[in-house]
Amino acid sequence: MRVSSTKVSIAPSGVFYLDGYFNDVRQLPGTGIHDDPYAILLLLEEAGERALFVGVDVCQISLSRTKKMRALLSSLLNVRDELIVISAVHSHSCPNGLRDDSSISHDTPGYEELVTGLVVQAASRLPGRLTEAKSEILSMRINGWYSNRNDKNKPFDDQAFIVRFVADDGSVVGAMQNFNCHSTVVGPFNRLITSDLQGAVRALLAPWVGITPYAFTGASGDLGNRQFRRGAGFDELQRTAVGISGEFMKGSFEPVELGVPTVREFIHDVDYDNRQYFARYEELLEKAQQTLANDSSTATEKKLARTEARRLSEKLEIDHVRFPIVMRVIDFGGIVFVTFPGELCSVLGMRIKSMFLPRLCIVIGYANDAQGYFVPGEDFGLGYESFVTKLPRGGIESVLDEFEEWL
């Protein structure tokens, strides 16, 4: 297999707004940069077929915002669109401007065009750097740093991986990093750009791995380090990132054979009358407003209630819900990647992985689109994810039933 990788800073040069949290402070421009946001590009080629992975340090990415980028990348690199994965690192403290339904009133001026230009320019370097490499994988489980944020004792996807591509001279020419946790250690009133947990672990692992990896989180809609957190600032971010990267460094790499990538696309069109749920939305909205009005509510409770109130109010303005769920199965033989266009809760990601056993499947979340939370029926009412999802109880299970039958 031939492999190349590159990265580019996508820091805005002027006024910017941070995406991910809904409050009055976040409606104000950001104040500076704690750590540069990046786009990481990884190009894989086998027998003339190419696959491109692009990780972007933003909260969410909408398909409509990346159509131009995808078209330019496809033409420039001779990669089929179906084999281009553009995913968000999902920090809640990166510039906005790459998704359609941000909670922030203003897009960062010109950010979509800036990122598109920088990514395409960086991609132009990839073909000339393609190098024959052998692939290897580190597979482990990480515990003690994050969990299901609705209940510390609930099962969650603790699998973590590094896939590395090593040239004959021993140099590392590309890598992937996956652990499943929200990149949200830094709190909602921060106004400095940071790629947060995923980016901090990526930066710490880069010297050890041998290159900055393409980093992505999988099915982590209900995963975070909330129960382990000792603060909401950059000291806590560093402590947590050091702990997680240290867990990775206890592992070892084993060879894995990757072949010519093949791809299949699954599409499910969601279409239902939303008015049948209005009474329930109104009931939940009243509870959220009571939490906000209660002086004894904690900062975390108010943060969640603020999001719930906004999203529930939006739901009451929508009579009919229509949107596509597009999943891609990218099969390299030794590893199968499944992309998902939103925030899939952990047990749902584990279900997808189980469909491919005994083969290894890795889910790439927040990929190619941003369709919000997808919550298992048993978790409705446990956390705010179930208040803001676009699917009713049991809806995502039906979609995955159809996906499994399609496979």
Side-chain angles (χ1 to χ4, degrees):
M1 174 169 284
R2 298 206 303 163
V3 179
S4 63
S5 184
T6 191
K7 70 176 183 177
V8 60
S9 170
I10 54 171
S13 57
V15 173
F16 64 87
Y17 297 84
L18 300 182
D19 197 7
Y21 291 113
F22 178 64
N23 57 51
D24 291 341
V25 170
R26 283 298 186 90
Q27 304 302 325
L28 301 173
T31 57
I33 300 175
H34 177 270
D35 52 273
D36 267 6
Y38 284 96
I40 314 294
L41 291 78
L42 176 66
L43 181 64
L44 307 180
E45 179 187 88
E46 180 67 21
E49 185 75 276
R50 290 177 172 178
L52 177 67
F53 299 85
V54 183
V56 186
D57 286 356
V58 292
C59 183
Q60 303 260 20
I61 286 175
S62 295
L63 178 62
S64 63
R65 300 296 187 100
T66 62
K67 276 190 173 181
K68 181 179 179 181
M69 184 194 301
R70 299 180 72 91
L72 290 170
L73 291 171
S74 178
S75 176
L76 175 67
L77 299 176
N78 191 27
V79 183
R80 289 191 286 148
D81 180 82
E82 309 95 274
L83 286 168
I84 298 176
V85 178
I86 302 177
S87 60
V89 78
H90 201 55
S91 165
H92 284 34
S93 293
C94 275
N96 76 334
L98 290 185
R99 68 161 162 160
D100 298 330
D101 59 348
S102 170
S103 57
I104 308 305
S105 300
H106 308 281
D107 274 355
T108 296
Y111 198 58
E112 179 182 330
E113 293 78 11
L114 174 69
V115 174
T116 297
L118 290 171
V119 168
V120 172
Q121 185 180 50
S124 68
R125 301 191 290 264
L126 292 172
R129 297 182 178 183
L130 281 167
T131 303
E132 287 288 343
K134 294 180 180 178
S135 49
E136 55 185 28
I137 189 170
L138 179 156
S139 174
M140 66 183 320
R141 296 185 180 275
I142 295 180
N143 285 275
W145 295 98
Y146 52 90
S147 62
N148 188 305
R149 59 190 185 184
N150 293 321
D151 184 340
K152 190 175 180 178
N153 297 313
K154 285 179 69 70
F156 71 99
D157 190 353
D158 60 357
Q159 282 190 306
F161 303 96
I162 297 175
V163 181
R164 187 164 68 173
F165 303 91
V166 184
D168 290 340
D169 64 3
S171 63
V172 178
V173 294
M176 296 175 154
Q177 164 195 307
N178 166 241
F179 67 96
N180 303 313
C181 181
H182 259 73
S183 192
T184 51
V185 176
V186 179
F189 301 106
N190 167 61
R191 292 170 68 189
L192 298 175
I193 291 174
T194 174
S195 54
D196 213 306
L197 187 57
Q198 292 286 338
V201 171
R202 180 182 65 197
L204 289 168
L205 284 177
W208 183 75
V209 171
I211 198 170
T212 302
Y214 159 66
F216 63 92
T217 183
S220 57
D222 53 358
L223 302 188
N225 80 322
R226 185 181 299 160
Q227 292 98 339
F228 299 90
R229 203 173 293 165
R230 299 179 185 175
F234 289 103
D235 288 345
E236 176 63 8
L237 171 59
Q238 182 69 7
R239 185 189 75 85
T240 306
V242 167
I244 293 173
S245 59
E247 292 298 311
F248 269 113
M249 292 177 189
K250 295 175 184 177
S252 58
F253 288 91
E254 300 289 340
V256 59
E257 285 292 329
L258 300 185
V260 180
T262 62
V263 61
R264 299 174 64 198
E265 184 175 77
F266 169 82
I267 302 175
H268 176 93
D269 291 312
V270 175
D271 189 337
Y272 66 90
D273 186 345
N274 193 43
R275 292 170 295 184
Q276 62 186 303
Y277 302 107
F278 276 12
R280 178 58 174 161
Y281 298 157
E282 289 167 348
E283 177 185 340
L284 295 171
L285 177 59
E286 183 179 355
K287 289 182 179 179
Q289 291 170 335
Q290 289 172 353
T291 300
L292 290 171
N294 189 341
D295 292 338
S296 63
S297 298
T298 67
T300 296
E301 289 170 340
K302 287 195 173 186
K303 178 186 76 172
L304 300 180
R306 201 175 291 115
T307 300
E308 291 168 16
R310 178 178 183 270
R311 294 301 188 187
L312 288 165
S313 296
E314 290 173 350
K315 284 188 169 193
L316 287 166
E317 297 177 358
I318 301 171
D319 289 342
H320 210 94
V321 174
R322 293 187 183 91
F323 69 94
I325 297 174
V326 181
M327 302 167 63
R328 286 176 177 165
V329 178
I330 303 175
D331 191 341
F332 285 90
I335 304 175
V336 178
F337 295 96
V338 176
T339 68
F340 194 85
E343 305 195 48
L344 195 66
C345 286
S346 184
V347 296
L348 301 170
M350 290 190 286
R351 179 182 171 187
I352 291 173
K353 289 181 175 183
S354 71
M355 296 176 191
F356 293 87
L357 290 174
R359 301 177 66 203
L360 174 62
C361 171
I362 303 178
V363 175
I364 304 177
Y366 313 92
N368 296 332
D369 207 352
Q371 295 295 351
Y373 282 102
F374 294 84
V375 181
E378 65 190 55
D379 285 355
F380 267 62
L382 292 183
Y384 80 98
E385 300 90 357
S386 63
F387 303 149
V388 300
T389 179
K390 291 195 236 180
L391 285 182
R393 186 193 295 266
I396 185 59
E397 285 87 349
S398 296
V399 173
L400 293 185
D401 287 346
E402 183 182 332
F403 174 72
E404 187 166 16
E405 183 177 347
W406 172 84
L407 284 176

